Amino acid sequence: LDVREGSVIDSVVDLKLQLWGAGVPVNTWKTTSSDGGADGFVYDAAHGVGAAGDWILDPSVAGAWESGRRLASWMLTENEENGGSVVRSVGLPADRSSP
């Protein structure tokens, strides 16, 4: 990620969030961080792709927003701590947790 500190927040404008009534998940994918809390997102370092949404944290608009916020925050922190790359997977089964 080639992102200057503070540059993303200046570009993001949240105009509208809408819950699709028939699309409320009846369950969520449970991920657990090393401190025992919920990660709220999935990131696969081997493929460089992350996923966020209401289906992974809490089946609500707030859950979707928080999940995306957590993923973005984690990626920015991870990128900064690892010299410009995200090298660690999160929320995957143990056999898929490292690239």
Side-chain angles (χ1 to χ4, degrees):
L1 298 174
D2 186 19
V3 180
R4 293 181 337 273
E5 185 175 340
S7 64
V8 173
I9 196 67
D10 294 335
S11 301
V12 175
V13 178
D14 45 301
L15 298 173
K16 181 179 177 183
L17 292 173
Q18 181 174 340
L19 177 63
W20 175 45
V24 177
V26 294
N27 56 15
T28 56
W29 176 306
K30 299 296 182 196
T31 66
T32 305
S33 63
S34 58
D35 66 3
D39 294 313
F41 62 90
V42 174
Y43 185 82
D44 186 339
H47 299 285
V49 65
D54 61 347
W55 58 274
I56 201 163
L57 185 62
D58 179 61
S60 66
V61 172
W65 180 263
E66 178 63 15
S67 177
R69 190 199 63 75
R70 287 184 188 189
L71 174 59
S73 177
W74 179 84
M75 288 179 71
L76 289 171
T77 301
E78 190 78 2
N79 180 59
E80 184 178 298
E81 291 175 356
N82 292 298
S85 62
V86 179
V87 297
R88 183 171 59 99
S89 294
V90 173
L92 297 173
D95 62 337
R96 292 282 323 259
S97 63
S98 59

